[in-house]
Amino acid sequence: MTATLGQTVEPESNSADALVRLDAVSKVFGKGDDQHRALSDVDLDIRRGEIFAVIGYSGAGKSTLVRLINGLERVSSGTVTVDGVDITSLSGKPLRAIRRRIGMIFQQFNLMRSRTVFGNVAYPLQLAGLSRAEQEDRVAELLSFVGLLDKAWAYPEELSGGQKQRVGIARALASEPDLLLADESTSALDPETTRDVLALLRRVNEELGITIVVITHEMDVVRTIADRVAVLDAGRVVEVGAVRDILGAPQAETTQRFVAATVGNRPDAGRLQQLRDTYDDTLVTVAVSDERAFGSVLSAAARDHGVDFEIVYGGITDLKHESLGSFTLALRGPDAGVRATVEALNAAGIVEGTKR
Ligand SMILES: Nc1ncnc2c1ncn2[C@@H]1O[C@H](COP(=O)(O)OP(=O)(O)OP(=O)(O)O)[C@@H](O)[C@H]1O
Ligand SMILES: [Mg+2]
């Protein structure tokens, strides 16, 4: 666990609140010399009611992970448990029963072009054997939830990308799932439409109580919607935790790259070198989740050690429920005082790196 100022310590997860649990999961594609290990020894708990994000670069194994959770792909070793049931040993009817409780949305929407919006959303209901009247009621309810009641008789090609994804979400909700898997569900959308779709996913989570797993390669998506995040790199989970902790103090190198690309308030290597060339002082980068505590540590440091500071880089980033600051400070004063100030910031658990 990483520490940032003002952080609340979360209870360790236990199996009781885990809706999905992966234990030592590995997935190898191919045989013999042509083997490719897509996932290695993945342990994850996805808690009931949360929005859990999985972030990683292309080829990291994100889609494979999703396909293992909904039983479309089988593990090479390890177990996947959904709501207490080990699905790795299931097939046929019991597996289909579990899969009905898992909804899925896709990057390319995967709508049927020959069917209207109504026809697409009604499809799973039709398969489940609902009468035409029941289908109509349920589809009307779903389309009004996603704000597309007036498009019921339109065909997919007549819709914008954002509207298509809303239809995808309505279709995924039709069978009243407990879990929604969203694989790059906003990657084909522009930033504004992305925000709308993410807001809709939040309503799905908050109003319908559905647990959501969001797969993405964008930290901005994680930042705006997720409670917790796992960082996947070459098939391994390199970091997992609350979004504020991961963004506040990323540990793994991959995570640091994702965070730097998103949270514009953190200087990248080039910018840091520039700052070092400009400032003769000791530079420290500090993650702040509690501005008042940060202020009091700094003012005490200045008062007790005669150290002056200047903010040379930084800003505030909004998360789902809170905000997170990162400030790079130039510390100026007697050497011993600067050291003591860095120690005081360190003791508060908020220093990320000290660069002289
Ligand atoms: N059916 C398959 N057969 C062989 N190799 C596969 C198969 N599916 C995935 N892989 C390989 O496993 C690795 C992980 O693929 P995966 O699709 O899970 O990555 P991803 O993180 O979803 O990437 P992207 O961001 O590009 O969607 C890749 O190297 C991929 O080539
Ligand atoms: Mg993928």
Side-chain angles (χ1 to χ4, degrees):
M1 168 145 286
T2 56
T4 48
L5 196 64
Q7 165 185 307
T8 50
V9 176
E10 307 231 335
E12 285 304 307
S13 71
N14 60 64
S15 51
D17 62 0
L19 178 59
V20 179
R21 159 165 266 182
L22 278 75
D23 265 309
V25 166
S26 294
K27 177 67 186 176
V28 180
F29 288 108
K31 287 203 171 71
D33 287 347
D34 200 26
Q35 279 197 357
H36 181 82
R37 186 170 276 271
L39 290 174
S40 302
D41 214 17
V42 171
D43 291 322
L44 276 184
D45 268 349
I46 294 159
R47 300 174 192 163
R48 216 175 283 279
E50 74 177 343
I51 299 187
F52 187 90
V54 178
I55 190 168
Y57 292 111
S58 183
K62 306 180 296 294
S63 295
T64 303
L65 186 75
V66 161
R67 295 167 63 81
L68 290 173
I69 294 174
N70 67 9
L72 277 174
E73 205 76 74
R74 293 203 164 264
V75 297
S76 301
S77 60
T79 56
V80 179
T81 313
V82 178
D83 205 7
V85 179
D86 177 3
I87 64 161
T88 41
S89 55
L90 294 184
S91 58
K93 217 171 170 185
L95 181 59
R96 283 199 297 278
I98 292 271
R99 280 172 57 183
R100 262 198 298 280
R101 298 171 50 194
I102 303 176
M104 176 106 191
I105 55 174
F106 307 88
Q107 179 171 3
Q108 295 306 332
F109 323 120
N110 296 16
L111 301 179
M112 291 176 282
R113 296 175 55 195
S114 61
R115 284 174 171 249
T116 60
V117 166
F118 177 92
N120 271 277
V121 179
Y123 186 67
L125 302 172
Q126 210 177 326
L127 290 183
L130 267 64
S131 71
R132 176 75 188 188
E134 287 168 328
Q135 289 176 35
E136 281 173 7
D137 285 352
R138 183 85 183 110
V139 172
E141 206 181 308
L142 289 161
L143 289 182
S144 91
F145 182 80
V146 303
L148 280 182
L149 199 49
D150 58 330
K151 296 284 182 195
W153 308 113
Y155 284 87
E157 65 188 19
E158 301 169 79
L159 302 178
S160 70
Q163 289 170 334
K164 283 182 203 163
Q165 195 55 292
R166 284 168 184 275
V167 176
I169 292 170
R171 179 183 55 186
L173 295 178
S175 46
E176 298 184 57
D178 303 317
L179 176 67
L180 181 65
L181 304 173
D183 192 354
E184 300 284 4
S185 58
T186 57
S187 299
L189 306 174
D190 61 63
E192 185 150 351
T193 313
T194 292
R195 269 194 295 280
D196 291 346
V197 169
L198 293 179
L200 177 58
L201 288 177
R202 268 180 74 163
R203 282 182 55 220
V204 168
N205 174 250
E206 286 165 8
E207 294 173 28
L208 308 178
I210 295 175
T211 306
I212 303 183
V213 178
V214 171
I215 302 294
T216 184
H217 62 272
E218 292 171 291
M219 197 52 112
D220 265 336
V221 169
V222 176
R223 178 172 74 71
T224 37
I225 193 174
D227 301 302
R228 293 195 307 138
V229 58
V231 183
L232 207 56
D233 186 5
R236 291 183 183 276
V237 174
V238 293
E239 201 158 352
V240 59
V243 172
R244 62 166 177 276
D245 296 341
I246 301 279
L247 284 184
Q251 303 296 307
E253 203 210 316
T254 312
T255 319
Q256 287 170 357
R257 273 157 65 200
F258 275 119
V259 171
T262 304
V263 181
N265 54 28
R266 199 176 299 264
D268 61 16
R271 190 76 178 97
L272 200 55
Q273 189 54 52
Q274 253 181 356
L275 291 170
R276 257 181 250 162
D277 295 344
T278 313
Y279 294 91
D280 226 6
D281 319 290
T282 297
L283 297 183
V284 288
T285 298
V286 184
V288 184
S289 55
D290 179 340
E291 286 85 5
R292 279 174 56 201
F294 169 64
S296 68
V297 169
L298 266 189
S299 57
R303 188 183 61 230
D304 299 346
H305 307 295
V307 170
D308 209 12
F309 64 87
E310 184 182 342
I311 296 176
V312 296
Y313 203 88
I316 306 279
T317 305
D318 287 326
L319 308 184
K320 184 175 175 186
H321 292 301
E322 62 216 310
S323 54
L324 188 69
S326 173
F327 299 102
T328 302
L329 309 169
L331 299 176
R332 202 162 297 147
D335 277 358
V338 168
R339 271 199 305 277
T341 301
V342 172
E343 268 165 37
L345 290 166
N346 249 326
I350 55 183
V351 170
E352 287 174 16
T354 309
K355 305 277 164 30
R356 173 90 210 203

